[in-house]
Amino acid sequence: MEALLIIGIMIFLLLLGFPMKVPLIVAALAVLLVFHPDVTPAVLVQQMIGGIKPAALIAVPMFIFAADIMTRGNSANRLLDLVTAFVGHLRGGLPIASAISCTLFGAMSGSTQATVVAIGGPLRPQLLKAGYPDSFTTALIINASDIALLIPPSIGMIVYGVVSGTSIGELFIAGIGPGLLVLMLFCIYCWIASIRMQIPRQEKTDSATRRTAARRALLPLGFPLIIIGGIYSGIFSPTEAAAISVLYAAILEIVFFRDLSVKDIPDIALSTGLITAVVFILVGAGAAFSWVISFAQLPDALINNWLGLTPDSGYWTIMLTIAIAYFIGCMFVDPIVVILILTPIFHPVAIAAGIDPVLVGIVVTLQVAIGSATPPFGCDIFTAIAVFRRPYLEVIRGTPPFIAILLFAGILLIAFPSISLFLRNLAFG
Amino acid sequence: TASTDQPTQWRFAIEETIGSVQHQYAMKFKELVEERSNGEIEVTIYPYGTLGTSDQITELVDMEVVQFAMASPGHLGKLIPEVQVFLLHFLFSDDDEINNQVLNKDPRLQKTFAELYARKRLKLLSIFSEGWQVWTTKDPIHRPEDFEGVKMRVMTSPLLIAAYNAYGASPTPLPYSEVYSALQLNMIDGQENPVFAIQEMNFYEVTDWMIFARHAPFITTAVTNREFFDSLPAERQELVTGVVADLNDYILKVQREFNQERLSLIRKNKPDLEIITELTPEEREAFRQASQPVRERFIRMTGEDGRKLLVELKQTIKEYEDQQQN
Amino acid sequence: MNKLFTIVQRIEAFLLAWSIIIIATLSIGNVVCRALFGFSLAFVGEVSQFLIIVVTFIGLSYAASQGRHIRMTALYDQLNPRWRKIMMVIINSLTSLLMLLLAGYAFEYINTVRFLGTISPVLQVPLYLIYLFVPLGFILSAIQYGLTVFRNLTAPDVYISYSQKDEYETTVVGEV
Ligand code: NA
Ligand code: NA
């Protein structure tokens, strides 16, 4: 009964178009008022505050801040010029360049939205001019931006690490392999698609242009090296890396490139603050919602009675159930909320079954990355609508092939854990 | 008016996961309460991670969302500064049997503690140790000097930070979930926790030494909401106090078995781990001396009440130790 | 009315921006101190936590005033302007009421924290003082949602906030 009430209220209010936080809070509130009248709803406020308190979450606004600084500045363009100069002339060169640029920018930014804006913004006109259809272009941009969530740093991994108690440092490094795998699959698809669409090749750039592009991109490229190097040599923790990335982004854009001045910082910080608030109110509401379902002991009911999932269910059953649950969740709710709600339910089963927590985290991160671009609810979709000013249906029309590729990558990850664990084991021996 | 067909629900929130000493305590509590109430009461246990952090659990007790909970001094110290006395090093007896008696059977101390907890509408049920805090480090530690420059992860508590500063270490606050990787990447050089936690979190895998300095027991307390308790009919109040009294000896036994089992597991999994099972009296004396200024700090933080509590605790421990010898 | 609206918005914007800048500066300072000189600034974590509460709950109201919500518009988009307006009035009045309700619960919670007297471990600040930003944010956003209802009832177009019309360009976005 409680579960039906929760799901009913959630879906109803979501469909009506209420802001995401409202269905979460109202569903939680209704369960308390109807089934547990002895429990004061003040506990929801306690959990909302508690949800945003974990120290590691401070990294989230910092990675957003760094991404905002770079988006306003020139780092993204310099990366783009570099990649286009080297692969632009290949068959499918421009979309391949987009995918690679998204990956590179993703290595500096923890957020898919920032990547949509920073890379998608400047690239989209070029892709359209080259003759790629609008739906393909938009779908490519929003899905390639997902890679940002897999390649460190990653806001999704930070939240997952906080909720599940998994090491964020290990999650970060284990995401690199899957990120590159997805990039490779996308590149192959772009190559095939461009042949089928009969898009003419671009002209090859001369070596002088390439040298200039390489020189200009040198400093932005140092970024991931410093972040990853710093973390895995033990100089700073993964969450401290966020602060370093703000410092690096600011020095790059203000001191070296001089395309921003110190005076621009408060304005950028305001935008960061606004996005942080929008995300964190969801984190808070998600925590309150999640508290109510564990208080009502719904996870046990779900796992034991409905799904019949036990630690002995076997690796594939557990991992596939987890992947499907997160995928379905992300169709309707924000990925962060999905992580907050589903992780306490599924994580203990996976751990009890002896599955590497980092592997579980990576599979979840991939599903959540896919989820940010899957209709009907997808924050990348909404970003694309806002940035490219295209209607909803057109934005999602080209996404199915990409989602199919991402799901295929998900199966590969489950089948071959070393795709993600290889680098982790290398770094942490 | 509790009817027999619909049992009264009591909720018990603990600060540790399933399979911990606290969980064992709560399970036995549940068993005894349900048995002795003839099924009129049903106890639900909420392990760590289901209802919130330690701080939140204490608030939940105050809001009567849960009726019973564990409250360890590291967190409770933010509400009742005096309980941070449990964090002081080299205060307790080396014999955890004596500590158990001092903490749960001495009427004067019971009264003192009951009054402290009552200030925050809490009723103290029992105080018990979950085992000794143990250092795991990259290099052996025998004397305070050995801590020079060692980056020790500690909980964010001013007294713990002060203690490791006093030994010459650099205390580094870090989230619990980051400790393992931080040790692995040499971002920190050591940490302290009871044996069961060291085994559970695999900290021994990424450190080379395990040192039983017996500097402090890892203490926790079981509490209930005072107004809730006072509102219970007399026979239910007796039921609770009776169960809790029986649990005191039970949990000491559980704790010892637990930590022994976990220690042998660690030994088995990592045979080349160097274990210093005890420091010499001289070595401990050096630590004891070095840790004295932290007591001054404690008194500054807690005032006259804290000073009196510290003196009373020291005296009582000494009395029980002397009794034991005679 | 409009003037007060602008002043409140400016204060909120100021708090948001400078909280982020201070968090960044302190975090950078802390990493540099620890990496170069081997000591941690214990207060940094606490101050950042306080400021995150300020950002989240003051930002809640600021986001409402900007019409920035994560919401699913698939069905809403199919409606004609008249029905959109009706939906906007319903959504915003109910959300406004919910915010007021939460403000009430927040005060109840704060009372518990105040009674327990929880203080932050390093700076020894009573936490309930920091938590006062929570009901403040709820009340301010209740006002913002109320103003949106008011604007929709009095002006011809459909508004997603007091000052923002409902257009594709302003539909926004959180991030992951
Ligand atoms: Na990234
Ligand atoms: Na989605």
Side-chain angles (χ1 to χ4, degrees):
Chain A
M1 273 315 289
E2 286 172 280
L4 286 181
L5 182 75
I6 288 179
I7 294 169
I9 290 178
M10 284 275 291
I11 293 184
F12 181 68
L13 295 180
L14 266 177
L15 289 180
L16 283 185
F18 275 88
M20 193 72 231
K21 59 190 175 261
V22 175
L24 287 168
I25 296 171
V26 173
L29 192 59
V31 168
L32 288 188
L33 295 178
V34 176
F35 296 100
H36 306 279
D38 64 315
V39 173
T40 166
V43 75
L44 296 179
V45 176
Q46 182 207 34
Q47 293 301 316
M48 289 179 84
I49 297 174
I52 60 173
K53 261 180 131 180
L57 283 184
I58 302 293
V60 173
M62 291 303 98
F63 279 128
I64 296 177
F65 197 21
D68 269 355
I69 292 173
M70 286 184 295
T71 309
R72 297 279 182 105
N74 235 328
S75 299
N77 283 325
R78 288 169 182 245
L79 283 181
L80 264 175
D81 291 345
L82 172 76
V83 179
T84 323
F86 278 85
V87 300
H89 62 281
L90 303 174
R91 194 164 280 293
L94 216 43
I96 290 176
S98 314
I100 298 176
S101 306
C102 283
T103 310
L104 281 180
F105 190 74
M108 311 176 191
S109 156
S111 116
T112 58
Q113 267 83 0
T115 314
V116 170
V117 176
I119 303 295
L123 255 181
R124 190 163 170 276
Q126 291 190 44
L127 283 157
L128 294 179
K129 210 171 90 193
Y132 291 95
D134 203 344
S135 58
F136 172 83
T137 305
T138 319
L140 168 71
I141 290 167
I142 62 178
N143 285 287
S145 299
D146 288 349
I147 300 173
L149 217 51
L150 287 166
I151 299 267
S154 157
I155 291 173
M157 287 179 189
I158 295 172
V159 176
Y160 184 83
V162 167
V163 183
S164 67
T166 309
S167 157
I168 295 169
E170 292 185 37
L171 286 170
F172 272 9
I173 201 159
I176 296 177
L180 295 178
L181 170 74
V182 171
L183 171 64
M184 196 184 73
L185 294 174
F186 278 179
C187 288
I188 295 172
Y189 174 69
C190 290
W191 179 69
I192 296 171
S194 75
I195 295 175
R196 278 184 36 206
M197 289 186 268
Q198 300 178 327
I199 309 280
R201 291 194 196 191
Q202 308 273 97
E203 252 175 65
K204 194 169 172 173
T205 44
D206 58 46
S207 60
T209 316
R210 288 187 172 188
R211 266 203 305 278
T212 317
R215 191 169 43 74
R216 282 168 45 90
L218 208 58
L219 285 172
L221 281 176
F223 201 95
L225 290 184
I226 289 185
I227 298 298
I228 297 178
I231 295 175
Y232 298 103
S233 57
I235 299 174
F236 38 74
S237 76
T239 47
E240 286 177 334
I244 296 298
S245 74
V246 173
L247 183 65
Y248 194 80
I251 291 179
L252 221 61
E253 300 291 356
I254 297 173
V255 180
F256 286 103
F257 302 161
R258 291 165 188 271
D259 41 23
L260 288 181
S261 90
V262 178
K263 275 185 249 144
D264 296 318
I265 292 293
D267 201 35
I268 299 174
L270 173 61
S271 137
T272 303
L274 183 57
I275 296 167
T276 305
V278 173
V279 175
F280 273 40
I281 201 68
L282 274 185
V283 171
F289 183 89
S290 163
W291 186 90
V292 169
I293 62 170
S294 45
F295 179 79
Q297 300 192 301
L298 295 182
D300 293 345
L302 176 75
I303 295 282
N304 299 327
N305 306 342
W306 297 8
L307 295 175
L309 210 59
T310 70
D312 303 322
S313 297
Y315 175 76
W316 274 94
T317 314
I318 293 175
M319 290 304 258
L320 282 179
T321 314
I322 290 178
I324 293 169
Y326 280 81
F327 181 79
I328 294 177
C330 284
M331 284 176 70
F332 300 102
V333 207
D334 188 83
I336 288 213
V337 177
V338 176
I339 294 178
L340 289 167
I341 295 171
L342 293 188
T343 305
I345 302 181
F346 289 103
H347 183 75
V349 187
I351 299 311
I355 302 173
D356 193 317
V358 174
L359 180 65
V360 182
I362 295 301
V363 169
V364 165
T365 307
L366 176 64
Q367 292 307 317
V368 153
I370 304 173
S372 42
T374 44
F377 188 97
C379 27
D380 287 354
I381 302 175
F382 302 147
T383 312
I385 291 172
V387 177
F388 308 140
R389 305 188 177 182
R390 306 300 306 165
Y392 183 88
L393 287 177
E394 190 169 325
V395 169
I396 62 168
R397 199 188 316 139
T399 52
F402 289 98
I403 292 174
I405 292 171
L406 286 165
L407 290 176
F408 175 64
I411 305 273
L412 287 180
L413 278 194
I414 298 177
F416 306 103
S418 49
I419 296 173
S420 38
L421 298 184
F422 169 72
L423 276 178
R424 193 277 310 259
N425 295 342
L426 203 67
F428 289 89
Chain B
T1 57
S3 69
T4 38
D5 45 328
Q6 200 64 10
T8 309
Q9 296 290 327
W10 283 357
R11 306 183 186 110
F12 197 148
I14 59 176
E15 298 172 299
E16 291 169 1
T17 48
I18 292 173
S20 60
V21 177
Q22 289 191 5
H23 188 241
Q24 210 61 37
Y25 184 102
M27 299 247 286
K28 193 74 181 170
F29 179 87
K30 174 183 165 74
E31 183 193 317
L32 295 179
V33 165
E34 290 180 352
E35 188 184 293
R36 294 181 193 175
S37 72
N38 299 316
E40 282 176 27
I41 300 169
E42 201 175 276
V43 181
T44 310
I45 300 168
Y46 289 97
Y48 171 77
T50 45
L51 295 190
T53 61
S54 304
D55 295 344
Q56 289 173 328
I57 289 174
T58 310
E59 291 168 0
L60 292 177
V61 175
D62 187 66
M63 297 192 274
E64 268 198 65
V65 172
V66 298
Q67 288 78 18
F68 300 89
M70 297 296 181
S72 31
H75 302 281
L76 206 58
K78 284 177 250 172
L79 317 183
I80 311 172
E82 290 83 354
V83 300
Q84 294 178 86
V85 77
F86 294 128
L87 301 177
L88 295 176
H89 290 186
F90 299 99
L91 172 63
F92 282 93
S93 165
D94 292 352
D95 182 344
D96 44 15
E97 185 97 46
I98 290 181
N99 292 331
N100 188 31
Q101 282 176 12
V102 168
L103 294 173
N104 290 300
K105 294 183 182 149
D106 183 72
R108 279 167 311 161
L109 266 180
Q110 293 237 294
K111 190 160 166 287
T112 310
F113 279 116
E115 277 164 10
L116 285 175
Y117 278 66
R119 285 186 201 161
K120 299 300 175 187
R121 246 181 337 229
L122 295 172
K123 180 172 166 55
L124 176 64
L125 296 175
S126 59
I127 308 176
F128 59 94
S129 160
E130 299 188 43
W132 293 100
Q133 289 276 29
V134 179
W135 296 323
T136 66
T137 52
K138 310 259 170 178
D139 293 303
I141 303 275
H142 285 283
R143 271 160 240 89
E145 301 89 86
D146 296 334
F147 263 125
E148 192 60 50
V150 171
K151 285 182 267 188
M152 278 292 279
R153 184 268 175 181
V154 293
M155 289 191 291
T156 10
S157 148
L159 284 182
L160 291 177
I161 293 176
Y164 286 92
N165 271 329
Y167 300 150
S170 335
T172 311
L174 260 190
Y176 192 52
S177 61
E178 288 301 326
V179 175
Y180 185 90
S181 337
L183 283 168
Q184 198 166 32
L185 298 169
N186 295 317
M187 198 188 133
I188 51 171
D189 312 309
Q191 60 87 37
E192 67 165 3
N193 260 302
V195 174
F196 71 88
I198 292 171
Q199 191 271 326
E200 191 173 282
M201 298 297 287
N202 300 325
F203 294 147
Y204 65 94
E205 291 178 0
V206 280
T207 39
D208 307 312
W209 291 80
M210 195 167 172
I211 301 126
F212 288 76
R214 300 205 159 206
H215 54 291
F218 183 81
I219 281 182
T220 198
T221 63
V223 297
T224 181
N225 182 305
R226 200 153 165 262
E227 285 167 16
F228 158 78
F229 185 83
D230 290 345
S231 74
L232 290 176
E235 80 268 19
R236 291 220 166 148
Q237 293 188 356
E238 279 157 26
L239 169 73
V240 173
T241 39
V243 166
V244 165
D246 291 350
L247 275 170
N248 284 335
D249 294 325
Y250 169 80
I251 204 64
L252 177 64
K253 207 177 86 221
V254 166
Q255 179 262 104
R256 284 178 172 166
E257 282 171 14
F258 236 80
N259 282 314
Q260 258 158 28
E261 269 169 35
R262 300 298 180 94
L263 186 59
S264 16
L265 211 61
I266 291 176
R267 280 211 165 98
K268 201 182 116 221
N269 289 345
K270 189 172 178 178
D272 62 335
L273 180 73
E274 308 266 9
I275 301 179
I276 303 180
T277 48
E278 103 185 286
L279 297 183
T280 66
E282 295 74 38
E283 289 168 343
R284 298 190 72 218
E285 192 48 36
F287 275 110
R288 191 190 304 273
Q289 287 308 325
S291 73
Q292 291 307 311
V294 183
R295 299 194 184 180
E296 297 305 317
R297 176 86 187 264
F298 169 77
I299 292 168
R300 277 205 307 279
M301 284 167 70
T302 53
E304 187 54 21
D305 283 357
R307 198 189 58 80
K308 278 203 318 230
L309 175 69
L310 184 58
V311 171
E312 195 184 341
L313 197 53
K314 258 165 45 182
Q315 273 173 0
T316 318
I317 294 167
K318 190 153 184 322
E319 273 170 34
Y320 278 75
E321 277 181 332
D322 292 347
Q323 261 174 37
Q324 187 88 347
Q325 277 169 3
N326 297 335
Chain C
M1 185 69 163
N2 277 326
K3 201 166 167 210
L4 187 66
F5 180 83
T6 320
I7 292 174
V8 170
Q9 230 181 13
R10 283 229 182 108
I11 297 175
E12 289 176 350
F14 177 85
L15 284 175
L16 280 183
W18 283 94
S19 297
I20 294 292
I21 293 172
I22 294 171
I23 296 174
T25 315
L26 289 180
S27 309
I28 292 168
N30 190 32
V31 184
V32 172
C33 264
R34 212 190 41 71
L36 296 186
F37 312 112
F39 66 94
S40 296
L41 308 169
F43 70 94
V44 167
E46 264 176 35
V47 174
S48 305
Q49 257 178 6
F50 298 163
L51 292 175
I52 282 295
I53 292 175
V54 174
V55 167
T56 305
F57 289 91
I58 294 302
L60 177 68
S61 160
Y62 188 75
S65 74
Q66 304 287 308
R68 289 217 185 189
H69 311 290
I70 302 187
R71 64 192 194 104
M72 191 163 92
T73 54
L75 284 188
Y76 173 88
D77 283 350
Q78 314 302 314
L79 303 173
N80 66 29
R82 189 185 146 76
W83 274 101
R84 286 191 186 187
K85 206 178 181 65
I86 294 173
M87 284 311 298
M88 270 302 153
V89 170
I90 296 175
I91 288 175
N92 282 287
S93 26
L94 292 180
T95 307
S96 180
L97 284 178
L98 180 68
M99 294 297 125
L100 282 181
L101 194 63
L102 287 174
Y105 293 141
F107 281 120
E108 189 187 329
Y109 173 61
I110 285 173
N111 239 336
T112 298
V113 179
R114 199 175 60 125
F115 167 75
L116 289 175
T118 320
I119 48 168
S120 70
V122 183
L123 295 173
Q124 309 270 304
V125 181
L127 283 187
Y128 81 93
L129 288 178
I130 309 293
Y131 291 174
L132 282 172
F133 277 98
V134 178
L136 179 67
F138 282 135
I139 292 171
L140 287 173
S141 54
I143 295 173
Q144 289 297 345
Y145 288 110
L147 284 172
T148 312
V149 176
F150 173 76
R151 182 49 66 88
N152 273 299
L153 291 176
T154 52
D157 292 307
V158 183
Y159 280 78
I160 55 167
S161 82
Y162 183 64
S163 56
Q164 307 277 325
K165 278 189 195 173
D166 179 20
E167 292 157 337
Y168 265 128
E169 291 86 310
T170 54
T171 319
V172 180
V173 197
E175 26 195 297
V176 158

